[in-house]
Amino acid sequence: MKFICYQKVLNLLPFHISNVPELKADINNFSRRLRLKEEFGNKKDDDKSLVRNKSTYTPRPGKDNYLDTYIETITKFPVRTRKCKQNLTRNEQDALKSLKDDDYIIIKEGDKGGAIIIMDTDFYKEKVLEQLNDEEYYKKVTNNPENATKKNKLIKDYDQCLTEKEIAYLCDFDPKESNFYGLPKVHKSAQIQNTVRDQNNVYVETFRPADLKLRPIIAGPESLTQRLSHFIDLIIKHLCPSIPIYIIDNMEFLNHIPAIVPEETLLTSFDVTSLYTNIPHDLGLTAVKYLIEEKRDKIDNGMKPIERRWNVISLQRSDQY
């Protein structure tokens, strides 16, 4: 395994030739937004849906001559590919292409610090499977189609809590499989840290560190439950500030620290291993339902648009997903 921190690559992106089709698509989208603003800009939206599928509606021209002329001008303006000087040398370009085309290595960003990690593909696969084969937190699922049917049935059972647009958003899409990958936790590997100290260079190399762990990432923007999870997040996030231990960012944390503490005070921190996978689904649901009941007055007084949707939270019970 190789651990690389190449400063120039980190701070300087290679120049890319203009993408003419993408630029034209951006111009068309901009023109569409102008027409939508013209037609709906001053109208009040009475729709209370929290989520909805993206509309493809484009208003017809003819309402404003100035706007029509402007849109016609920018859409017909000639777009040409510009020739610009490359900001990487030929050797640097060849090196990047060689790394990109090499199937025997895989390149990942470090979990912390922004370092570039180059690993043997076989070693990376071993580390991924080592994590996925942990039956305490992961199990192989082969019935995704059944889960899709179950999800749609559950949403239908709760249709009185949802608007038509919300139901369409949650059900009317083609789910895709999620991608699992891992970011190397180089800052927690004693072998890598010792190598960094010994070699003291921007580029260090070590052989298959046995203590290296990966931070699991599941990328699933169109996975089976992504939209449902997003919808539930919109509902319950309004209650998060009501939790006594809720900290929004580092500055708020600093504001919670006492200005003066006894001299013998120790500042300590704790790291929970596999935090989210260690939270039982039933316990998580119980905590959410408890908070809802405790803050019912807040929901009734200031959160009317989402009050009728609280029942949807029960869709993701642990015995269903």
Side-chain angles (χ1 to χ4, degrees):
M1 173 190 172
K2 297 179 180 179
F3 174 80
I4 294 180
C5 180
Y6 186 30
Q7 197 65 30
K8 186 168 185 179
V9 173
L10 287 174
N11 294 336
L12 187 61
L13 295 176
F15 168 79
H16 291 285
I17 299 175
S18 302
N19 189 327
V20 175
E22 183 178 337
L23 179 57
K24 289 184 176 180
D26 289 341
I27 293 175
N28 290 333
N29 289 333
F30 175 68
S31 301
R32 176 176 176 268
R33 290 197 298 270
L34 289 177
R35 294 202 183 279
L36 290 172
K37 184 67 175 178
E38 175 199 28
E39 183 160 333
F40 300 109
N42 297 324
K43 294 183 180 179
K44 184 178 180 181
D45 187 6
D46 295 327
D47 185 13
K48 302 301 182 181
S49 301
L50 292 180
V51 291
R52 68 192 72 179
N53 287 319
K54 290 185 178 180
S55 171
T56 58
Y57 170 70
T58 301
R60 293 183 178 182
K63 297 180 180 180
D64 188 310
N65 291 333
Y66 292 104
L67 180 61
D68 292 343
T69 302
Y70 175 74
I71 291 178
E72 183 179 4
T73 301
I74 63 175
T75 53
K76 292 184 177 181
F77 192 82
V79 179
R80 300 184 180 90
T81 302
R82 295 187 306 164
K83 291 185 178 180
C84 297
K85 184 179 179 180
Q86 289 284 350
N87 55 1
L88 296 180
T89 67
R90 171 56 62 181
N91 288 338
E92 290 170 338
Q93 294 177 47
D94 292 341
L96 287 177
K97 186 177 186 305
S98 175
L99 290 172
K100 180 181 177 181
D101 296 339
D102 192 342
D103 294 332
Y104 293 97
I105 62 173
I106 189 165
I107 304 174
K108 292 292 182 184
E109 182 183 3
D111 180 47
K112 295 288 192 300
I116 297 176
I117 316 299
I118 301 180
M119 294 175 284
D120 296 334
T121 302
D122 292 339
F123 176 72
Y124 174 73
K125 289 181 178 179
E126 288 177 10
K127 286 298 177 180
V128 169
L129 292 176
E130 177 183 303
Q131 190 148 358
L132 292 178
N133 288 332
D134 186 349
E135 296 182 355
E136 183 177 358
Y137 301 113
Y138 300 93
K139 70 176 180 179
K140 191 173 182 178
V141 177
T142 58
N143 60 341
N144 272 340
E146 294 181 9
N147 281 341
T149 303
K150 186 181 297 184
K151 184 203 70 167
N152 291 340
K153 181 180 181 301
L154 287 169
I155 293 175
K156 184 178 180 180
D157 292 341
Y158 286 89
D159 59 0
Q160 73 278 5
C161 303
L162 305 166
T163 67
E164 291 184 1
K165 291 183 178 180
E166 289 169 345
I167 294 175
Y169 173 83
L170 296 172
C171 297
D172 298 345
F173 71 101
D174 295 324
K176 300 177 182 178
E177 292 184 351
S178 302
N179 294 320
F180 180 96
Y181 66 94
L183 299 180
K185 295 183 178 182
V186 295
H187 61 292
K188 291 190 176 182
S189 169
Q191 181 175 336
I192 293 177
Q193 295 303 316
N194 292 334
T195 302
V196 171
R197 284 192 295 269
D198 294 340
Q199 298 185 14
N200 191 26
N201 197 357
V202 295
Y203 163 88
V204 298
E205 182 175 353
T206 185
F207 181 76
R208 293 179 173 246
D211 61 346
L212 179 67
K213 302 295 182 181
L214 302 178
R215 178 178 297 280
I217 305 292
I218 300 177
E222 287 297 326
S223 65
L224 180 63
T225 57
Q226 189 275 334
R227 293 193 176 194
L228 181 59
S229 298
H230 170 63
F231 180 58
I232 293 176
D233 178 66
L234 291 176
I235 296 174
I236 65 176
K237 73 177 183 179
H238 296 276
L239 292 178
C240 289
S242 302
I243 303 174
I245 60 173
Y246 177 76
I247 301 293
I248 190 172
D249 54 25
N250 292 339
M251 291 304 299
E252 185 173 353
F253 171 73
L254 293 176
N255 292 333
H256 279 72
I257 298 178
I260 300 176
V261 296
E263 185 175 349
E264 63 275 11
T265 300
L266 296 177
L267 180 62
T268 61
S269 63
F270 298 89
D271 186 18
V272 180
T273 303
S274 303
L275 172 62
Y276 294 109
T277 50
N278 269 319
I279 300 177
H281 289 188
D282 289 338
L283 180 59
L285 283 171
T286 300
V288 172
K289 291 177 180 178
Y290 170 79
L291 187 61
I292 291 173
E293 294 304 320
E294 284 290 304
K295 303 300 178 181
R296 174 56 63 180
D297 57 336
K298 181 178 179 180
I299 297 171
D300 293 339
N301 295 330
M303 303 166 67
K304 284 291 184 182
I306 64 173
E307 177 185 357
R308 60 188 175 81
R309 299 175 176 86
W310 288 110
N311 288 334
V312 183
I313 293 176
S314 62
L315 289 175
Q316 289 192 329
R317 295 199 304 267
S318 59
D319 59 334
Q320 295 165 340
Y321 292 101

